[in-house]
Amino acid sequence: MLVYTLKRLGLALLVTLAVSMLSFALLYLSGDPAAAIAGETANAEDIEAVRIYYGFDRPWVVQYGEWMFNAIRGDFGTSYYFKLPVSQLVAERLSVTMLLGVCGISFALLTAVPLGVAAAVRPNSIIDRIALFLSVMGQAMPSFWFGLVLIVLFSIKLRLLPPSGSDSWQNFVMPTIVLGYYAMPAIMRLTRAGMFDVLGADYVRTARAKGAGEFRVMFKHALRNAIIPVVSLAAVQMGFMLGGSIVVELIFALHGAGYLAWESIGRNDLPTVQALILVFSMFYIVFTFLSDLLNAWLDPRMRVG
């Protein structure tokens, strides 16, 4: 297990290095950063002064080395627009996005896994049809449209939930449903397919022949093997939720990291955009790494090779 962990950790570090390079390259891929900071009315002398002040005239390797060294220490520079340390801005907003992501993936797992199991146990039944309908709807329905429908229904018509803000738990109910419903179809289909295959395996029939109860067969023998690909998918979906929460946060006016990303992109706040890309990518890498370790613990065969 230790060798497998070190291999996966080395791969994660290589991916992190590649992502850091792409995050830094964003500074120049979007155009001349000095011209963006100086503004549209600046002349060539002003742009050159900005370039020298921020160190954009130095070689790229030097700039990347300094940026990476500071990023490791948690220093992403100062926001061009907010005039505050970027690390402070990200830390303040990230708690909202993290809470929304955890609530969203929890809602998706607690809904999709039981439905997937029930659909596999009772194929072609009414439960299977309901699961299929929810899966198709989740794939076809845009999250922004679903969010607006929930606001009209529960905030304007029924007046049960607040339409925006992040002051209480009620503000997170509709965003959680919208974000979690986006991840439900893939988890539900994968759970159903895995359970359907496992329930026909020889070791499951053997367990039943030995007199094991249906609950024991279902959860100890079947679900433990069927859940392995779901763990990997859940980690990927969690990364997508954190990075893709910008639409949900905009609709419900949740001032999280996704909302900060939208503000920073619209105002050419490149240091903040760089930091957010790196932070979201790191979350994705960490969740994938942890899912690999959990899968190796669930299935020892994965540790070989």
Side-chain angles (χ1 to χ4, degrees):
M1 185 68 180
L2 179 60
V3 176
Y4 178 82
T5 301
L6 293 176
K7 287 182 179 179
R8 304 308 297 179
L9 180 61
L11 181 61
L13 292 176
L14 289 176
V15 175
T16 302
L17 180 62
V19 168
S20 68
M21 292 180 179
L22 290 174
S23 300
F24 178 77
L26 178 69
L27 187 68
Y28 291 96
L29 291 176
S30 58
D32 186 357
I37 297 172
E40 297 179 357
T41 59
N43 54 36
E45 293 163 350
D46 295 333
I47 295 175
E48 185 63 25
V50 170
R51 183 176 290 107
I52 295 173
Y53 178 79
Y54 285 99
F56 296 142
D57 57 327
R58 297 175 299 169
W60 287 13
V61 176
V62 176
Q63 294 183 55
Y64 170 73
E66 181 181 356
W67 179 80
M68 191 61 188
F69 177 75
N70 292 331
I72 293 175
R73 298 184 301 147
D75 182 10
F76 295 99
T78 303
S79 168
Y80 295 160
Y81 178 80
F82 296 98
K83 307 302 180 183
L84 293 172
V86 174
S87 55
Q88 177 184 338
L89 281 173
V90 174
E92 290 174 353
R93 302 288 191 95
L94 198 58
S95 59
V96 175
T97 301
M98 285 294 297
L99 178 59
L100 180 59
V102 170
C103 292
I105 196 65
S106 300
F107 173 79
L109 289 172
L110 292 175
T111 307
V113 172
L115 278 174
V117 172
V121 174
R122 297 286 186 269
N124 300 320
S125 64
I126 184 64
I127 296 179
D128 192 14
R129 299 303 180 189
I130 292 174
L132 178 62
F133 173 78
L134 293 176
S135 178
V136 173
M137 285 292 295
Q139 282 188 314
M141 188 164 49
S143 57
F144 71 88
W145 184 83
F146 188 33
L148 294 175
V149 169
L150 292 183
I151 290 175
V152 171
L153 180 60
F154 291 103
S155 298
I156 298 177
K157 298 294 184 182
L158 300 179
R159 299 183 180 276
L160 296 177
L161 296 170
S164 61
S166 56
D167 299 327
S168 68
W169 63 269
Q170 294 177 319
N171 294 104
F172 288 88
V173 174
M174 290 190 292
T176 295
I177 295 174
V178 174
L179 199 61
Y181 193 58
Y182 166 78
M184 276 179 53
I187 296 176
M188 191 186 308
R189 289 199 315 270
L190 196 59
T191 303
R192 182 190 182 280
M195 283 294 295
F196 194 79
D197 292 338
V198 169
L199 289 174
D202 293 337
Y203 62 87
V204 173
R205 288 196 294 265
T206 302
R208 283 172 172 161
K210 289 182 177 180
E214 192 64 22
F215 183 85
R216 181 183 178 87
V217 170
M218 194 67 59
F219 290 95
K220 183 177 180 180
H221 297 283
L223 186 59
R224 177 169 181 173
N225 291 280
I227 205 70
I228 292 175
V230 177
V231 173
S232 299
L233 179 62
V236 173
Q237 291 289 353
M238 183 64 179
F240 284 157
M241 284 182 176
L242 293 177
S245 62
I246 178 171
V247 175
V248 176
E249 291 183 13
L250 283 174
I251 293 173
F252 295 98
L254 293 173
H255 287 258
Y259 196 92
L260 177 63
W262 176 76
E263 291 179 303
S264 303
I265 293 171
R267 292 158 177 166
N268 289 325
D269 194 353
L270 297 177
T272 307
V273 175
Q274 284 180 311
L276 289 170
I277 291 175
L278 185 61
V279 169
F280 285 143
S281 301
M282 285 300 302
F283 276 119
Y284 184 87
I285 294 169
V286 169
F287 288 136
T288 304
F289 173 69
L290 293 177
S291 72
D292 289 339
L293 297 185
L294 183 57
N295 282 335
W297 176 74
L298 291 172
D299 188 0
R301 295 172 298 178
M302 298 184 61
R303 307 173 196 172
V304 181

